[in-house]
Amino acid sequence: VNTRKVVQLFFTTLIIGSLSGTIVGLLLDLDLYTSGSVANLIVGIIWIAGISAAFSLIAQMGFFAYLTLHRFGLGIFKSVKLWNWVQVILIAFVVFDLIYLRYIAFAQEGETIFHYMVMPLALLVYGAIIAYLKAKDTNKGAFIPALFFMVVITSIEWVPALTVNDPKWLWVYFAPLIAANTWQILILHRLQQQ
């Protein structure tokens, strides 16, 4: 991959992440942005786009960190099969932690753990779909690394929002991360083929 393709990946990811976060942020709090003047709407859009752009940049750092981690993992474990098993165990650990740790930190009286299972399991299912598409476009060996990236790396990038229990901010932070990560994982092999 040459410099031009890296720059192209950077800007397309930034745009996709920013747009997705802005759209989700506006939809979640539409009354806040549309009540008042047009200036309120414009400032609100700029603010949400800025936050979304920042999380898109975090997603890009996570992507390149994962590419490095993946190479280290292959070198340390000396076997693709063993490295894949380590990644599967880490995926299970992260999904469990997303459910259990948030439950013990934020559960209100009468709330069950099932309420805290929705987003992590949805992330796991979505990650599996994206990993399937990646494996279909490249080779079956890409499934586990793509699933690991979509679940584990996205969760690590999502930590600032996970420390509060505000559904609006969970989604505002999650939208640019998941959009940017999806784009990066699905486009990388195409950039390499060009």
Side-chain angles (χ1 to χ4, degrees), residues 63 67 127-147 150 182-192:
F63 182 64
L67 293 176
I129 292 167
I130 298 304
Y132 169 77
L133 294 174
K134 177 72 173 183
K136 187 177 155 198
D137 282 353
T138 57
N139 61 61
K140 66 179 182 169
F143 182 83
I144 297 297
L147 181 62
M150 291 303 296
T182 301
W183 170 253
Q184 291 175 111
I185 201 75
L186 292 179
I187 199 67
L188 181 65
H189 64 277
R190 291 186 178 100
L191 289 176
Q192 291 173 329

Side-chain angles (χ1 to χ4, degrees), residues 50-157:
I51 290 173
S52 300
F55 273 88
S56 176
L57 292 173
I58 290 170
Q60 291 185 52
M61 288 187 293
F63 182 64
F64 287 105
Y66 175 68
L67 293 176
T68 304
L69 172 72
H70 184 65
R71 285 289 139 204
F72 279 135
L74 289 172
I76 290 169
F77 293 103
K78 307 277 190 226
S79 162
V80 173
K81 190 173 185 178
L82 181 58
W83 173 231
N84 281 346
W85 275 109
V86 169
Q87 290 180 97
V88 168
I89 291 167
L90 289 172
I91 291 167
F93 184 73
V94 166
V95 170
F96 173 79
D97 282 352
L98 281 174
I99 296 167
Y100 184 70
L101 294 179
R102 291 197 72 246
Y103 172 71
I104 61 172
F106 299 117
Q108 302 286 328
E109 184 72 32
E111 262 186 325
T112 66
I113 198 166
F114 295 110
H115 175 75
Y116 293 90
M117 293 174 77
V118 174
M119 285 185 88
L121 293 179
L123 176 61
L124 182 63
V125 168
Y126 181 79
I129 292 167
I130 298 304
Y132 169 77
L133 294 174
K134 177 72 173 183
K136 187 177 155 198
D137 282 353
T138 57
N139 61 61
K140 66 179 182 169
F143 182 83
I144 297 297
L147 181 62
F148 180 87
F149 173 72
M150 291 303 296
V151 175
V152 175
I153 302 301
T154 301
S155 297
I156 291 169
E157 296 163 351

